[in-house]
Amino acid sequence: MLGQGVWTMYGSSAGRRDRDVVTPHNVSILLFIQKYALFRPNKYWDHRPPDPNTPHPDLTPQERKATCLMTVRLIQGGDMTLSEVLKVLETAPLLPLHVSSFMTALHQMYRSGIDSLLNLFDSVEKFAVQDSGRSESFPCLWTSVVGLYLRRLNLTFRRLSFSQVTSLYQSFQLYYQDCFTTHQPPTLPLQQDQMATEDSNIADDTDSDAKMEDVVEERREEEDDDDQEEAGESAINLTVCSAEVMAISNNRGVRRGGEEDDDEAIMQPPVLLSRDSDKKRTLREAGHSSRQQAELFISQQTSLLQYSDTAALPPPILQAKIKQLVKQNPDMAEAHFLSYLNCLRAREYFGALHSLLRAFDGHPGRNGDTGRSGDVGRSGEDTGRAFRYAAMNLAALHAQFGHQEAGLEVLREAVRLAQESSDHTCLQHCLAWLYTLSPLHKAQLMQRSVVKSSELSLSYLSCLGRLGHAAELSHTTASPASLLQNVTHGEGVTWQHSLVSLQHGGWGLRAALWCCWGAPVMAALASQLLLRLNSRHPATNITASSKTTANTFYAGQPTCAAVCNVAIALANLGEYQHAGEILRHAQLRFPANGLHAHTWMFARAHVSLTDHLHTASWTRAHSALTNMASTQPIEARLRRSDLLVATGDLVGAWRLLGELRNESAVADGEARVRLLLAESCVAVTAGGWAIAIPILVEALTVATRHHLAYLAALTHLHTANVQMHLGLMREAEASMAAGLSGVLAGGSVYDQACARLLHSKLAVSQAKGKQTGKLLEVALSLDLVRQLFTKVRAFHRVRETIYIKARLYHEVGYVEERNKCALEFRQFELNHPCQAYQRSMKNF
């Protein structure tokens, strides 16, 4: 939604004049095409007999396909250094003879002087003028991608003066030296004889600075007045190749002189020029890209940012490339918008704001446009469109950083402009951000958005509204059936239109709903189904950080939440090691400075806090609470009450819970029930049984009204514990029957153990007299309780279980078994010493 309207607002660049520049990278592409063409792979339409002096190996279909795709990739991409080109060629399944002959041709051109460059373009000239012998070097069709590329380079090269051609060759020498300064071509069999007879003359190293000035002056004299400024830029780009020009497909930085890389050690040092001036360093580090290549790079990186943050270039590298691209094309607003998305990914507010203002800076106010509906440009289009979408994107920026008041103020301006121009599409996007920012009437706004978006065939907004409406209704008393129906209707449209992000969002919402309703098994199943979705990126040959996106899958906030759900489910089962491994995977997949890092940070803090509370590690538990407070402050304060109760600070816990009662976030729903359960725990620990009863009744009412089945079951067990201590055995048995099955069916290992222990206590309390059989049966059942507590490392509960078991054996007169339990208790206390735990046997 952030990028809606930015591409159509500025239009295409077909009408802009874009002067081509011949660079050393273009020369290397020509040699790559020429050496492949000499193999005569197109025999099905070229019927002339092959040249006996040229080898003609049999190319497999895989090699043909790989070569064609590689040629298109090199043509459409921007400039790369020679070392990067060779690295890309090594990863492709190309014909080895083709690669070796290409490397030999590069070396021959470097050693043979400027004549080899002129001969290469003479062969291109023969192809361009449809000479009878054109098939000798470039047997391809005029209208093909390669044919158009050759003709374009021929026209550009023929415009160059002699000094510019000389400068181009010197640039090629530096281009070659940058790769081979510390490496030499391998001694391939095909190269040994050729290199032995090569001329070692190297073109004189003339004064580059003087030549650059001459070229600029010649360029200015040759061009007309209208093209003077543009020609000057082309000459500078050609001769200086300044650092302002970027290499679109640059997948790594320039090789440093002292580096040694075994994987790329395909060369050894030849005798090269030792002088390395600043100008030469600039030539090596710079590259050129046409406007079309720049637009291709921007579209690719934008697609990757929307699909997976880690698949795109890292934020610093991408920002540096955008900076270079903007210097080369100052009027390219799309580059500023890509910078805006990159800053959003890194959570950099000022950089995102600056980039967004720059993206909409040049277009709206030109020619006296005011942005109203009556303002029409020369082509008849609505010029106020830029103002509307600029305001809407600024509101989206404030929404990303939680500035609700500022976002609403800007959004009102966008709505006013859209209403004046009757732009219904913009109004629907504004409505989507309105119910995101507005604290009131969210459900009604979402419902209106769904209806209107369906009428306008805005499938993305319609599905997004349905899912948002279901998520908003989950905080009300709406039935689970109606919520799942909304989710199902929304998913139907997402699958019809292949909306990958909303497909993940639908399954993520299902997992969240099942978790709230008390079905953790269904929540884990929905999370695993989300992770099993086939969300492979549609593009397979997009260069990004020295790798392709053939194995790039969608990775958004629902994906991160699903991974964390699986980790928390394993932690609830006592598998802390496996949960930690999954969280480490989430940390690698979603960087710490990204948009979705807060999800796995909260999950890691949640798992750590639970473990430390079980093991009575108060210092570590406090650190985990501090980490949790940075992402979920309300949840951290709720869990802090558990820590205060465990350490005996009941007054502090009661005061903290009283402060939370006034928070709007815990006014109703799940948070309210958890708050009431925490208050009941404080009351029971302090011995206030009568105070806990009304609190638990209120918690049960709220949980039942909001269909929170698992929290309702826990409330029943807490109520049974209080009723048992008050002597209300019949009521306690009814409460136990109401909540035990729900906890045993979907509760965590710790909750299941607590429920079984409470059931054993209740059975002992109901036993009349010394019923030996009944007490022995309860004592034997405590073995399972102990195993469950041991699995989650709740050592204080293990000691309590052993103590109760020893008391039962003492009650029935089993002295030997009682002594064994006493010895076991002593040994366990020595092996697992823990501090005094205030949540004693009185509590659930």
Side-chain angles (χ1 to χ4, degrees), residues 805-832:
K805 187 176 180 181
R807 290 293 303 269
L808 290 177
Y809 281 129
H810 175 75
E811 192 71 22
V812 297
Y814 281 47
V815 179
E816 184 176 356
E817 285 77 3
R818 181 202 63 185
N819 294 338
K820 287 182 180 180
C821 290
L823 178 62
E824 187 177 0
F825 181 90
R826 179 59 178 166
Q827 291 177 347
F828 184 85
E829 191 175 30
L830 293 176
N831 294 331
H832 302 283

Side-chain angles (χ1 to χ4, degrees), residues 450-467:
V450 170
V451 175
K452 190 63 177 179
S453 298
S454 300
E455 295 177 359
L456 297 175
S457 299
L458 300 175
S459 56
Y460 183 88
L461 293 180
S462 177
C463 300
L464 185 65
R466 288 184 181 275
L467 296 180

Side-chain angles (χ1 to χ4, degrees), residues 661 668-680 692-708 711-716 718-719:
R661 270 183 173 268
D668 203 2
E670 180 184 3
R672 183 67 175 181
V673 177
R674 294 181 57 196
L675 173 66
L676 294 173
L677 289 178
E679 288 184 346
S680 68
I693 288 294
I695 296 176
L696 290 173
V697 170
E698 182 183 357
L700 182 60
T701 303
V702 176
T704 305
R705 184 170 65 246
H706 289 269
H707 311 283
L708 306 176
L711 289 179
L714 284 179
T715 306
H716 278 296
H718 279 272
T719 305

Side-chain angles (χ1 to χ4, degrees), residues 302-485:
T302 302
S303 177
L304 291 176
L305 285 177
Q306 294 176 352
Y307 226 77
S308 176
D309 291 350
T310 56
L313 293 176
I317 298 177
L318 180 57
Q319 196 65 25
K321 291 181 178 296
I322 293 173
K323 184 178 179 181
Q324 294 177 352
L325 182 62
V326 169
K327 289 181 179 180
Q328 183 183 1
N329 302 279
D331 60 335
M332 183 173 285
E334 295 89 344
H336 292 292
F337 198 82
L338 178 59
S339 175
Y340 161 67
L341 296 178
N342 189 40
C343 292
L344 277 184
R345 174 174 58 155
R347 306 292 296 174
E348 183 183 350
Y349 171 73
F350 291 104
L353 179 60
H354 175 73
S355 299
L356 183 61
L357 295 178
R358 288 290 301 277
F360 296 97
D361 194 21
H363 180 79
R366 291 179 179 175
N367 301 325
D369 297 338
T370 62
R372 297 180 181 178
S373 59
D375 294 330
V376 179
R378 296 179 180 178
S379 59
E381 63 179 6
D382 185 9
T383 57
R385 179 181 177 87
F387 280 102
R388 299 193 295 272
Y389 282 96
M392 188 191 69
N393 280 275
L394 184 58
L397 172 63
H398 288 298
Q400 290 289 330
F401 290 92
H403 306 160
Q404 293 188 356
E405 294 183 0
L408 287 173
E409 189 66 27
V410 178
L411 195 60
R412 292 190 190 97
E413 180 67 17
V415 171
R416 184 185 63 82
L417 294 174
Q419 288 176 343
E420 289 181 358
S421 58
S422 300
D423 190 348
H424 296 286
T425 302
C426 183
L427 280 174
Q428 289 308 116
H429 284 90
C430 291
L431 181 58
W433 285 111
L434 180 60
Y435 65 67
T436 302
L437 291 169
S438 178
L440 301 175
H441 310 295
K442 285 182 176 290
Q444 292 82 353
L445 293 175
M446 291 175 184
Q447 192 171 5
R448 294 176 186 176
S449 177
V450 170
V451 175
K452 190 63 177 179
S453 298
S454 300
E455 295 177 359
L456 297 175
S457 299
L458 300 175
S459 56
Y460 183 88
L461 293 180
S462 177
C463 300
L464 185 65
R466 288 184 181 275
L467 296 180
H469 190 241
E472 186 64 25
L473 291 180
S474 64
H475 302 290
T476 64
T477 59
S479 64
S482 62
L483 298 183
L484 290 178
Q485 186 177 10

